[in-house]
Amino acid sequence: MRLGAHESIAGGLHKALDRALAVGCEALQLFVESSRSWKTKPLSEEEIRLFRGKAVKSEIYPILAHASYLINLAAPDNILWQKSCRTFINELERCEALGIRYLIIHPGSHMGKGEAEGLKRVAQALDKAFTVTSGFQVRILLETTAGQGTSLGYRFEHLAWLIENTSNKNRIGICLDTCHIFAAGYDIRTPESYEATMDEIDKIIGLRHIHAIHLNDSKTPLGSRVDRHEHIGKGELGIEAFRLIVNDRRFSDLPGLIETPKDETLEKDRENLAVLKSLVKPAKIAKAVK
């Protein structure tokens, strides 16, 4: 697993790469525009050149983007839904221009209209995005959620339905968040419960659809449906869950990204990544055959 973190783009998109290098990232997640504002300006050729050039030199890969928190692809209100679709498509266009392989997004909130109607709205939005960005390389990753409020994606069945009912299965996948699935009621704290949960994912969604993992501990208990991230090994999940997942050979080629609480010095990122790296068992070296 290539370990990394979500880093700030303050000062320019390329600055996220500088921060990633400073804390020892192998992979990186970032926003490609402000996550708290609908307003955005087009990327300049200089911004694209600077980011792409630094990305190649850094040898950080893969680089993933996280969609704006304002986007709600399940919104029942048509004005908000159209606005969300436009912003989402704009982010896909920015990812394609920057050479970013994945765009992660929460499925959205049905806002009282029910899960079935909400999922239909998400599928409609995804198909709209696929049509507008036909030929793009960037893949959309639907993130598992904790299930706060009317959020979709807290059951594996939600994500399986979306994969099955969208038009381009080659451009859709899953981002598994350890904090979120735990808060949603899926236990991964022991070898037995971990394997049971992985078996359930494989049966319902298929492990092959997982392309990224968010490695976050949880401040809230199992099944709380409250999304609160904690430092690795300091929360309700505990250290064993992370030992299990970073050593799972099924995920050995995937990015494992922390979204744990930060400080201005980024020392907490260094500490969390160091903890994760310490859990990785060294590969067995085969004895030379004479």
Side-chain angles (χ1 to χ4, degrees):
M1 189 175 289
R2 294 187 63 79
L3 299 173
H6 183 108
E7 297 299 346
S8 169
I9 59 171
L13 290 166
H14 65 285
K15 290 293 186 179
L17 287 157
D18 293 336
R19 295 179 177 103
L21 288 169
V23 300
C25 288
E26 298 167 321
L28 168 65
Q29 180 179 285
L30 74 166
F31 295 121
V32 290
E33 59 184 351
S34 171
S35 64
R36 302 291 184 184
S37 173
W38 291 107
K39 294 181 180 179
T40 186
K41 63 178 182 177
L43 287 172
S44 68
E45 290 299 322
E46 175 62 16
E47 285 178 299
I48 295 170
R49 184 196 63 78
L50 188 58
F51 182 86
R52 278 181 167 269
K54 185 160 285 190
V56 170
K57 290 179 181 178
S58 72
E59 297 186 350
I60 290 175
Y61 70 89
I63 298 174
L64 307 89
H66 197 295
S68 167
Y69 296 128
L70 298 176
I71 296 171
N72 183 7
L73 300 184
D77 176 80
N78 202 49
I79 293 175
L80 176 57
W81 186 82
Q82 292 285 359
K83 196 173 187 179
S84 294
C85 288
R86 286 195 301 270
T87 301
F88 182 52
I89 290 167
N90 178 62
E91 292 200 1
L92 286 168
E93 292 169 342
R94 292 168 83 92
C95 286
E96 189 76 5
L98 294 164
I100 293 173
R101 292 176 57 185
Y102 301 104
L103 177 60
I104 299 167
I105 187 165
H106 297 178
S109 299
H110 62 76
M111 303 176 75
K113 291 296 183 178
E115 293 178 355
E117 288 303 310
L119 289 169
K120 289 177 185 177
R121 292 289 269 181
V122 179
Q124 186 181 357
L126 292 171
D127 281 346
K128 182 182 181 74
F130 288 141
T131 299
V132 174
T133 64
S134 177
F136 279 28
Q137 296 301 306
V138 58
R139 187 189 292 260
I140 296 166
L141 299 186
L142 302 171
E143 184 175 344
T144 56
T145 68
Q148 283 194 178
T150 61
S151 294
L152 301 166
Y154 69 95
R155 301 303 304 169
F156 298 147
E157 288 83 358
H158 293 175
L159 305 179
W161 189 92
L162 288 170
I163 292 172
E164 187 60 31
N165 289 276
T166 47
S167 60
N168 194 335
K169 293 178 177 59
N170 292 324
R171 286 189 56 204
I172 194 167
I174 301 299
C175 174
L176 186 74
D177 188 301
T178 55
C179 169
H180 295 173
I181 64 170
F182 180 73
Y186 299 102
D187 200 355
I188 56 171
R189 291 174 294 182
T190 67
E192 295 76 19
S193 64
Y194 177 85
E195 281 305 322
T197 294
M198 293 304 141
D199 286 346
E200 189 167 356
I201 295 173
D202 198 29
K203 179 181 177 181
I204 297 171
I205 303 174
L207 291 175
R208 68 188 182 281
H209 289 297
I210 298 175
H211 292 273
I213 298 176
H214 284 164
L215 299 168
N216 301 305
D217 210 326
S218 175
K219 287 186 177 181
T220 62
L222 179 69
S224 64
R225 290 183 63 173
V226 176
D227 178 9
R228 296 290 183 275
H229 295 185
E230 182 57 284
H231 297 296
I232 303 299
K234 303 294 185 182
E236 296 288 331
L237 268 168
I239 204 69
E240 185 62 19
F242 297 98
R243 191 190 314 278
L244 291 166
I245 202 162
V246 299
N247 289 294
D248 191 329
R249 291 186 180 183
R250 294 168 293 191
F251 304 137
S252 61
D253 295 327
L254 300 188
L257 303 151
I258 58 169
E259 300 173 312
T260 43
K262 291 186 182 294
D263 59 354
E264 291 184 4
T265 68
L266 298 181
E267 187 58 34
K268 293 299 182 183
D269 278 1
R270 294 186 187 92
E271 291 175 5
N272 281 300
L273 287 171
V275 170
L276 288 170
K277 289 174 183 178
S278 75
L279 299 175
V280 178
K281 296 176 183 177
K284 293 181 180 179
I285 302 173
K287 294 181 180 179
V289 178
K290 293 183 179 180

